Amino acid sequence: MPTVTELQLFAVDLPFKTAFRHAAAARTTSESLFLRMALDSGVDGWGEALPRAYVSGESRHDAFALLRDQVLPALVGRGFQSLAEVVSFLEKCDGKAPSDWVPPDVPQTSAWCCVDLALLDAFGREFGSSASPGGQPSGGALERYRYSGVVSAGRGWPYAKSLLKMRAYGFPQVKLKLGEDGALQAARTARRLLGRRVDLRVDANMAWDVDQALEVIQQLRTVGIESFEQPIAADDLSGLARLVRESSAGIVVDEGLTDRESLQAFISQQACTGANVRISKCGGLVGAYARCREALDAGLMLQVGCQVGESSLLSAAHLSLLSALASLRPGVRYAEGCFGRHLLREDPASPLVQFGYGGRPPPRPSGAGLGVQIDQAMLVRWAVDQAKVT
């Protein structure tokens, strides 16, 4: 039975081609974690996550320490007889480490994403199967999807130039990152430059309070915007429920949606009409798949998003998730991800997994596991911390 023998953890700052800004953060590097998992057979696999304290409650420093000191030592010596057994283990974990490894109330879903992907990649390679959240290779057609363009907060000519790039690239859907001030003018500019046919939506990243949100939502609906992602604080469920009742607009939750309990709280309090599920914040591919199915079962609009700065490793997992969801109805409304070198100056994963003209998805990598190779020398070049557990 193949067994985990060694784990290497890298905290890596992959540089962006341009700064990315929104109401909750501004960054010029990815601030990533990468995990290499080696098996006694000589096979290895990789995981990736991008912890964000304002999303899952985990800073990268905290996630690194949690993995190094508690999670990875418990993985050494663990073996699986099939990829299906790996998936079954991950389904029982449900996006978090086993409770005897880490107390379930400790923020950990982003850290666990590294483990989830590394297990699927390593044991997928070991058994010659592609990684899939359902345990079986998923063949859903990716051609039905189109990735959204995303425009970060800004104003003036740089903002207009970003919008014109979205138009030139033929995106049918564009998401605007709007802040506390100037939302209506920014939206009007976007509508004027993108045209009426583009499906335009807004992500406020918790920029407003409830009263501000109600006012701005009504203003933005005059320019044909109907979907509003995380307009107020993620923990203000009563405020979100008020927005659902009083605005009659689409209210999408993102920050704060990490695990089964958080999603069920939003659903039970009718605090949203849509959910943004991201692999990195929801405990990996298997946990994200479970959250997607639960959101669809509750009648929510589903968006499958990404963390800014994901490499082609997480993008390959993103395609696996979309493929697994392709047969479900009503399915995924919006997809965000597969930015690759559209954003990153260097991508350590190959083949490059990034969207094409009009947001068309790339093909899924054809190899076993997640199907990509990692340039470890590139990770070391951009690493700010490393650890090895044996």
Side-chain angles (χ1 to χ4, degrees):
M1 180 171 64
T3 302
V4 178
T5 58
E6 181 181 279
L7 297 129
Q8 288 180 273
L9 186 61
F10 303 84
V12 178
D13 287 343
L14 298 173
F16 292 173
K17 290 182 174 179
T18 184
F20 193 90
R21 297 180 176 85
H22 56 70
R27 57 177 48 88
T28 58
T29 66
S30 64
E31 302 175 34
S32 310
L33 291 177
F34 284 84
L35 175 65
R36 174 181 170 267
M37 178 179 292
L39 308 184
D40 58 0
S41 63
V43 170
D44 61 12
W46 287 85
E48 177 188 4
L50 296 89
R52 303 288 186 252
Y54 63 89
V55 175
S56 65
E58 303 160 86
S59 69
R60 183 174 64 178
H61 177 271
D62 292 342
F64 187 99
L66 183 70
L67 287 167
R68 180 194 61 207
D69 299 338
Q70 294 179 247
V71 176
L72 301 188
L75 277 169
V76 175
R78 180 169 287 269
F80 297 92
Q81 296 181 343
S82 66
L83 183 58
E85 189 175 310
V86 172
V87 173
S88 178
F89 168 73
L90 292 171
E91 287 175 341
K92 292 176 182 176
C93 291
D94 198 26
K96 295 182 178 181
S99 58
D100 55 339
W101 298 8
V102 180
D105 59 342
V106 172
Q108 59 184 284
T109 51
S110 190
W112 187 251
C113 176
C114 281
V115 175
D116 170 281
L117 296 184
L119 283 170
L120 291 170
D121 192 37
F123 285 91
R125 293 175 187 274
E126 175 68 26
F127 297 113
S129 299
S130 60
S132 171
Q136 297 295 326
S138 49
L142 292 171
E143 292 78 11
R144 63 176 289 192
Y145 297 110
R146 289 293 180 269
Y147 280 96
S148 298
V150 181
V151 179
S152 61
R155 62 184 62 190
W157 171 240
Y159 176 62
K161 185 166 65 173
S162 296
L163 292 167
L164 291 171
K165 287 180 179 179
M166 295 293 109
R167 179 167 180 164
Y169 210 70
F171 283 107
Q173 305 160 347
V174 173
K175 183 165 83 172
L176 302 178
K177 296 278 193 174
L178 298 183
E180 186 174 351
D181 300 318
L184 180 57
Q185 183 57 47
R188 284 174 172 167
T189 300
R191 180 58 76 196
R192 184 173 68 254
L193 294 178
L194 295 175
R196 285 284 168 186
R197 292 186 178 181
V198 169
D199 183 344
L200 200 57
R201 65 191 191 277
V202 161
D203 183 2
N205 291 104
M206 308 178 289
W208 307 318
D209 61 31
V210 177
D211 291 332
Q212 286 175 320
L214 285 169
E215 180 180 358
V216 175
I217 286 171
Q218 294 308 313
Q219 292 174 346
L220 297 186
R221 294 184 77 181
T222 65
V223 293
I225 297 175
E226 296 293 339
S227 179
F228 299 86
E229 185 177 329
Q230 208 59 65
I232 64 173
D235 60 356
D236 187 359
L237 271 66
S238 62
L240 288 164
R242 183 182 166 197
L243 294 183
V244 171
R245 292 193 309 270
E246 297 183 18
S247 73
S248 69
I251 305 298
V252 180
V253 290
D254 178 14
E255 287 90 347
L257 193 174
T258 59
D259 56 14
R260 184 183 302 274
E261 290 74 18
S262 60
L263 177 57
Q264 291 304 318
F266 287 120
I267 292 171
S268 64
Q269 297 196 37
Q270 299 182 336
C272 63
T273 64
N276 183 17
V277 175
R278 301 188 241 173
I279 294 171
S280 180
K281 69 167 182 171
C282 291
L285 185 53
V286 173
Y289 180 65
R291 303 294 84 77
C292 287
R293 297 199 62 145
E294 290 159 9
L296 291 174
D297 288 344
L300 300 182
M301 182 278 286
L302 178 60
Q303 174 176 297
V304 176
C306 71
Q307 299 291 131
V308 175
E310 292 181 0
S311 81
S312 289
L313 175 64
L314 258 167
S315 294
H318 198 276
L319 293 178
S320 179
L321 178 58
L322 289 183
S323 183
L325 295 167
S327 62
L328 302 182
R329 296 290 182 268
V332 179
R333 174 73 177 275
Y334 297 115
E336 297 172 0
C338 291
F339 283 93
R341 296 196 65 231
H342 291 304
L343 177 63
L344 296 174
R345 278 171 45 195
E346 294 186 274
D347 190 326
S350 60
L352 188 64
V353 182
Q354 69 179 33
F355 58 72
Y357 179 81
R360 289 176 174 81
R364 285 183 66 188
S366 58
L370 291 171
V372 299
Q373 304 296 324
I374 297 296
D375 184 342
Q376 187 168 330
M378 185 185 296
L379 294 184
V380 171
R381 185 164 71 249
W382 296 110
V384 297
D385 201 357
Q386 301 180 48
K388 181 183 288 188
V389 176
T390 58

